Amino acid sequence: MSNLPYRAATVPDAVSLTCEVRPSGVRLRAAPRSGFQVKSETYRGHSTRGDIREFSARSRAGLLRLALDLAEFYSPEFLLTLTYPGDWRSVAGDGRVCAAHLKAFRKRLVRYLKRNGGTGDVSALWFREFQRRGAPHFHLLLWGDGLHGLELEHARTWLSEAWADVVAHPDPDERAKHEQAGTQLAPMRTRSFAYAVTYATKPHQKHVPDGFTNPG
């Protein structure tokens, strides 16, 4: 419970309480009933968030909880890595642009799976890191019925072309090199979220490089 001062209810039924038991722990939720508001008296109207410069301990803890909860129901099948070209700043120097790339790529992936006889049902737990050269790259743990029967070599060829098309580096040489080395797809050696847990507890490659704007 928070140490911040809250306005308390004066009637017994003002708040509805629910309890969720998950692998990551027990969660209590308080939902105000109609006509009742819960407001903090501290920092109201003055809350600000500074620029994100690293993968914080709070974010790592949140990812760890999510990985533990997902592991109760799902098993990731593939690890997909998406990287950017050598001249990455001209196409990926902004976090919002990178997020748009990932969103566009996911739509293409769903359409690809449907064209190849699948349901298109695919989910991913994704992480963004920064390489030593500063370039962002994504790791995606993939699972879902749409991946069943996926032909790896064909999928790898398609992924390379699709990701290069999404990033769309304007220089033909950079575009060609990116298509050759921009993606990696491999079956999970152990079909668990242990990779995510390891990621959540190790802070390396999480520092936002200078000049990378809107990391989110």
Side-chain angles (χ1 to χ4, degrees):
M1 301 298 287
S2 172
N3 290 324
L4 300 179
Y6 282 86
R7 294 177 183 172
T10 58
V11 291
D13 291 353
V15 177
S16 173
L17 293 175
T18 60
C19 177
E20 294 182 1
V21 180
R22 300 183 178 185
S24 60
V26 178
R27 300 182 185 181
L28 293 175
R29 298 178 184 272
R33 296 187 187 278
S34 177
F36 179 76
Q37 293 184 339
V38 180
K39 295 182 179 180
S40 170
E41 298 289 353
T42 305
Y43 305 123
R44 186 170 53 191
H46 300 286
S47 177
T48 59
R49 185 175 185 178
D51 291 339
I52 297 173
R53 304 309 306 168
E54 62 180 2
F55 191 47
S56 68
R58 182 177 179 181
S59 296
R60 292 197 298 272
L63 177 58
L64 178 59
R65 288 194 300 269
L66 178 60
L68 292 173
D69 290 342
L70 287 172
E72 187 75 3
F73 305 102
Y74 306 107
S75 297
E77 298 179 53
F78 296 97
L79 173 62
L80 172 62
T81 301
L82 305 173
T83 61
Y84 280 95
D87 175 28
W88 63 271
R89 288 191 180 275
S90 62
V91 290
D94 184 273
R96 293 173 183 169
V97 172
C98 293
H101 287 160
L102 189 61
K103 183 177 181 179
F105 176 80
R106 184 187 187 282
K107 291 180 179 179
R108 291 190 180 214
L109 178 59
V110 170
R111 292 196 296 266
Y112 168 78
L113 294 174
K114 288 182 177 180
R115 285 198 306 269
N116 286 273
T119 63
D121 180 17
V122 60
S123 297
L125 178 61
W126 64 269
F127 330 109
R128 185 188 63 202
E129 290 185 320
F130 295 92
Q131 298 172 315
R132 289 184 179 180
R133 61 191 176 105
H137 64 282
F138 294 106
H139 297 297
L140 295 86
L141 299 180
L142 301 173
W143 72 93
D145 293 340
L147 297 171
H148 295 169
L150 189 68
E151 205 287 307
L152 271 182
E153 290 308 314
H154 185 275
R156 284 169 175 151
T157 299
W158 178 87
L159 288 167
S160 297
E161 295 174 354
W163 180 237
D165 285 344
V166 166
V167 174
H169 197 286
D171 181 85
D173 291 336
E174 287 286 341
R175 166 68 172 76
K177 288 186 289 186
H178 186 218
E179 183 175 333
Q180 290 294 319
T183 61
Q184 291 183 356
L185 177 68
M188 296 290 295
R189 294 180 180 178
T190 303
R191 293 187 58 178
S192 74
F193 286 91
Y195 180 91
V197 173
T198 301
Y199 177 94
T201 54
K202 292 185 178 181
H204 79 288
Q205 291 193 341
K206 311 301 188 298
H207 182 74
V208 180
D210 292 339
F212 188 85
T213 55
N214 299 309

